[in-house]
Amino acid sequence: MRASLPWQIALALLAVVTGGVLQLATAPGGGPGNVWPALGLVALAAAATLAMGGRPVAQAALLFVGAHGAAWLLLSGVAGHEGQAGASFYLALSGAWLLAWRCVTVLSMLKPASQGEKRLLGLIIPLIFGAWVLILWEAIVRGAGIPFLLLPPPSAIAERIGVSTAVLAADFRQTVLKAVLAGYIIGCGAGFIAAIAADRFLFLRRGLLPIGNMAAALPIIGVAPIMVMWFGFDWPSKAAVVVIMTFFPMLVNTVVGLSASGHMERDLMRTYASGYWPTLFKLRLPAAMPFIFNALKINSTLALIGAIVAEFFGTPVVGMGFRISTEVGRMNIDMVWAEIAVAALAGTLFYGVVALVERAVTFWHPSIRGG
Amino acid sequence: MNAIASHKPAPAIPVTQSGVADVVAASKLGLVFNTNDGPVQALSNVDLTIGKGEFVSFIGPSGCGKTTLLRVIADLEKPTSGTIMVNGMTPEQARERRAYGYVFQAAALFPWRTIADNVALPLEIMGISKAERAERIRRTLELVNLAGFEKKYPWQLSGGMQQRASIARALAFDADLLLMDEPFGALDEIVRDHLNQQLLELWARTNKTICFVTHSIPEAVYLSTRIVVMSPRPGRVTDIIDTNLPRERPLDVRESPEFLAIAARVRDGLKAGHSYED
């Protein structure tokens, strides 16, 4: 026996043994299939990992195959036996999950040599993590026979996405490419210009900021129907809601950012007899960029929420919010989840793009260059 | 001690029309800061003239107004009494004509600009052409021994190199007056010695007038042609010492008896200013 027995492996072996005993006690033919092969695979992978010792990459590969092979066996075995899973099924599942856990732990402790390996690891670890959220979701929903209306399994949602690609794409175009993008650009742009104006003119600073504050406090549920009355059913009214939602975070962050430059730097510009605009462009705006990007990131997710919610208050027969509200009424819950998945993906991508641009623009900031 | 111990019998106000105006001429200069704890007399009754090509150090304990005096010359603070002329103009006019380069306590380089672009900053603001900018960047970075670091960012350089870059930035637009506010205060002794030597060489080569704030006696004596000793509460000039050291100064001049005699006089002046209850 090796000196170190990782606790995930120990628990996995324990789960396999207990699962095996319980599986012996169940009537043959009852419950999901493939429990025995899955138990065997988990036990094999766990034992082989222990025998292999200190080669982390090979260990991780073995654990990866064992965990996901067992998961695949279990998921294919549960088809046709929904709601009949017993304790042995869940024990085999948790054994596989523990192997995956160990796999991620081993990978996290690796010290990658090159930048490329580091990036690859940074991609693999969250992917395994995300895959297991879906695997557990699928296995538990199917194994326990949770009603489709309450929570459909991810496979059903994926299937729906595959079948309804055209509808989803049309909704995406309507909501994200038209309402969100237009509203985001106008709202952030207006907030930015208002912040510069408030900085330049004292009366605006005194008068506009409190009113901007009020715009942020407007309830979106109240504003959306009014915007529909003003701008019609199509996307401009949704864009208007997004403008209202994104204006204030941009205004406040830019105003704060404009005062972020130091006294010494401003004195320096004064010794050059620099005017307002050169000082703004060469010192104060670059210094404000970290704050401005904060607002852009906050607004990227706010805009999506605003546009989807606004579509609940009247829209042409296309759009993500419209689809969600109508498909809920028709009990097509998988379509609702498909829209949610698309929205989550779009929001993450949007945020990611803004964050990438931020890295390029504020490369000099200690938070990005790392000290 | 008489406030005016200048080596030449200059009048308190320079004769600007004659063309031989002093670079800085202050008379009965006073400045009161209104703080939350009541008014603070930062400068009181300062009389001082600085001629072209001089290297004048301001030395004194913190709160003596040496930085404030430099900031008044630079028009970063407004005096509340007395008069001050810079190049025969008001400080504001002088600032608007970019009469001086100012070096702060910290380098204050912009982290989003490379060293070359930092040096180019005043040139851009002053509307100097791109070709001319490149030429001046090359020249001034050579002057402070930073050639080859044009494309580095400030945070990739050491503190001493950053401060040299900020001196290059102050030199880039060729103002005749250089105002330096404890530029080497945050650096260690070895780097400081080195930069002091380089500063003297630079002064000899460019023939600029330099006003230099410091709290180090050896630094003041080593660098200056004249030392202005100041004391706090209220901030005032207590002594002005002409140093008669040769212009050519190797570092070991600091062991010479002349050097030590001047340092002793500066120390006495600082002590005399400390006649309050500590």
Side-chain angles (χ1 to χ4, degrees):
Chain A
M1 195 70 206
R2 297 252 158 204
S4 68
L5 176 63
W7 66 269
Q8 294 100 333
I9 301 287
L11 267 184
L13 287 170
L14 190 67
V16 168
V17 172
T18 325
V21 171
L22 288 171
Q23 181 69 6
L24 279 177
T26 48
N34 284 349
V35 174
W36 278 117
L39 285 171
L41 187 57
V42 171
L44 202 66
T49 313
L50 283 181
M52 195 169 354
R55 267 176 302 167
V57 177
Q59 261 192 21
L62 190 67
L63 288 166
F64 181 85
V65 171
H68 295 87
W72 180 78
L73 284 171
L74 288 170
L75 288 180
S76 54
V78 82
H81 298 278
E82 274 85 358
Q84 299 168 10
S88 57
F89 174 83
Y90 292 112
L91 280 166
L93 182 69
S94 31
W97 179 41
L98 284 162
L99 290 191
W101 189 329
R102 180 68 201 156
C103 175
V104 170
T105 311
V106 170
L107 286 175
S108 304
M109 286 188 304
L110 279 183
K111 292 192 173 57
S114 73
Q115 201 63 33
E117 282 175 32
K118 198 174 170 179
R119 216 165 274 165
L120 192 69
L121 262 187
L123 206 64
I124 288 177
I125 293 174
L127 272 183
I128 296 180
F129 228 93
W132 272 90
V133 171
L134 295 179
I135 290 171
L136 291 176
W137 175 356
E138 178 86 22
I140 292 171
V141 165
R142 285 194 185 274
I146 292 173
F148 190 82
L149 272 184
L150 283 186
L151 185 63
S155 57
I157 297 168
E159 201 176 314
R160 169 55 69 183
I161 292 177
V163 172
S164 311
T165 318
V167 176
L168 289 169
D171 291 346
F172 176 80
R173 264 197 301 278
Q174 171 76 9
T175 304
V176 176
L177 296 188
K178 289 181 183 164
V180 169
L181 229 49
Y184 182 79
I185 290 168
I186 296 171
C188 291
F192 179 77
I193 290 168
I196 302 278
D199 181 72
R200 187 82 184 92
F201 304 108
L202 184 69
F203 79 98
L204 276 179
R205 186 153 60 243
R206 296 272 162 78
L208 185 75
L209 284 184
I211 290 179
N213 204 339
M214 215 168 72
L218 291 178
I220 176 179
I221 312 263
V223 173
I226 291 169
M227 289 302 124
V228 171
M229 277 161 55
W230 287 3
F231 298 106
F233 277 100
D234 211 344
W235 64 268
S237 58
K238 284 68 190 176
V241 172
V242 174
V243 167
I244 291 173
M245 285 187 80
T246 54
F247 175 79
F248 186 67
M250 192 60 173
L251 174 66
V252 176
N253 274 287
T254 309
V255 166
V256 172
L258 284 176
S259 57
S261 54
H263 283 292
M264 210 179 271
E265 283 80 1
R266 273 187 255 183
D267 277 347
L268 180 75
M269 295 305 266
R270 201 173 139 80
T271 68
Y272 302 146
S274 166
Y276 175 83
W277 295 107
T279 304
L280 184 72
F281 284 116
K282 291 186 192 296
L283 170 64
R284 300 176 66 213
L285 275 182
M289 276 306 156
F291 293 84
I292 292 171
F293 271 99
N294 252 349
L296 287 174
K297 286 194 288 188
I298 294 169
N299 281 345
S300 70
T301 43
L302 265 187
L304 203 61
I305 296 171
I308 291 175
V309 171
E311 284 181 4
F312 278 61
F313 299 92
T315 170
V317 291
V318 62
M320 299 169 80
F322 161 79
R323 194 76 55 206
I324 289 172
S325 62
T326 50
E327 299 297 330
V328 161
R330 291 180 181 168
M331 300 286 181
N332 285 333
I333 300 301
D334 53 345
M335 190 62 187
V336 176
W337 279 96
E339 291 284 0
I340 290 173
V342 171
L345 197 66
T348 310
L349 275 179
F350 195 178
Y351 187 93
V353 167
V354 176
L356 273 182
V357 176
E358 179 188 28
R359 289 188 75 85
V361 172
T362 62
F363 65 94
W364 49 270
H365 195 258
S367 69
I368 288 177
R369 68 177 152 91
Chain B
M1 185 63 62
N2 184 7
I4 301 181
S6 175
H7 57 308
K8 53 182 163 177
I13 300 284
V15 189
T16 55
Q17 291 81 2
S18 67
V20 286
D22 290 311
V23 176
V24 176
S27 161
K28 307 243 174 307
L29 194 67
L31 194 156
V32 178
F33 285 121
N34 284 311
T35 68
N36 288 336
D37 300 332
V40 171
Q41 185 88 38
L43 287 175
S44 159
N45 216 17
V46 172
D47 290 315
L48 180 72
T49 55
I50 297 171
K52 189 160 169 42
E54 277 196 84
F55 195 129
V56 180
S57 284
F58 299 86
I59 191 166
S62 53
C64 71
K66 53 192 192 297
T67 295
T68 308
L69 181 52
L70 204 67
R71 288 175 64 84
V72 169
I73 297 172
D75 189 40
L76 296 174
E77 306 284 355
K78 301 268 186 226
T80 45
S81 63
T83 58
I84 179 161
M85 305 292 261
V86 177
N87 284 345
M89 296 172 269
T90 66
E92 188 174 359
Q93 288 167 332
R95 178 174 66 80
E96 274 162 8
R97 289 180 198 188
R98 285 113 182 195
Y100 63 86
Y102 200 105
V103 180
F104 291 85
Q105 287 170 0
L109 299 166
F110 293 1
W112 51 85
R113 282 174 171 253
T114 61
I115 294 301
D117 287 345
N118 265 292
V119 175
L121 174 72
L123 306 176
E124 285 171 20
I125 293 169
M126 293 167 196
I128 287 165
S129 76
K130 206 171 157 129
E132 172 78 20
R133 284 208 299 263
E135 168 58 23
R136 290 204 191 187
I137 291 165
R138 194 193 56 72
R139 205 174 59 213
T140 47
L141 282 181
E142 224 158 66
L143 216 54
V144 297
N145 286 335
L146 273 181
F149 291 93
E150 290 84 356
K151 295 212 158 58
K152 293 274 184 214
Y153 285 94
W155 30 274
Q156 296 169 321
L157 302 187
S158 69
M161 290 166 102
Q162 290 185 20
Q163 199 52 278
R164 258 148 58 197
S166 92
I167 293 171
R169 182 178 57 187
L171 293 173
F173 52 99
D174 257 336
D176 286 330
L177 175 61
L178 199 54
L179 305 174
M180 306 179 87
D181 181 9
E182 292 188 37
F184 310 138
L187 306 175
D188 66 64
E189 194 82 26
I190 301 162
V191 176
R192 179 194 280 230
D193 277 355
H194 186 63
L195 291 183
N196 279 343
Q197 239 178 330
Q198 288 189 339
L199 183 60
L200 271 188
E201 278 167 28
L202 195 135
W203 174 59
R205 251 184 293 170
T206 56
N207 203 30
K208 289 186 189 305
T209 311
I210 300 184
C211 296
F212 190 92
V213 168
T214 181
H215 52 229
S216 157
I217 296 173
E219 188 173 63
V221 180
Y222 178 67
L223 292 173
S224 319
T225 57
R226 240 179 346 145
I227 301 168
V228 178
V229 182
M230 299 183 71
S231 101
R233 276 167 276 197
R236 64 195 187 280
V237 175
T238 52
D239 194 3
I240 297 182
I241 303 164
D242 282 309
T243 71
N244 42 14
L245 296 171
R247 263 185 103 113
E248 195 72 21
R249 296 174 195 182
L251 269 178
D252 54 21
V253 79
R254 295 184 298 183
E255 272 102 55
S256 70
E258 295 89 352
F259 185 97
L260 296 175
I262 298 164
R265 187 170 159 200
V266 174
R267 198 167 289 117
D268 286 345
L270 289 173
K271 245 182 242 157
H274 266 78
S275 54
Y276 48 90
E277 67 287 348
D278 59 16

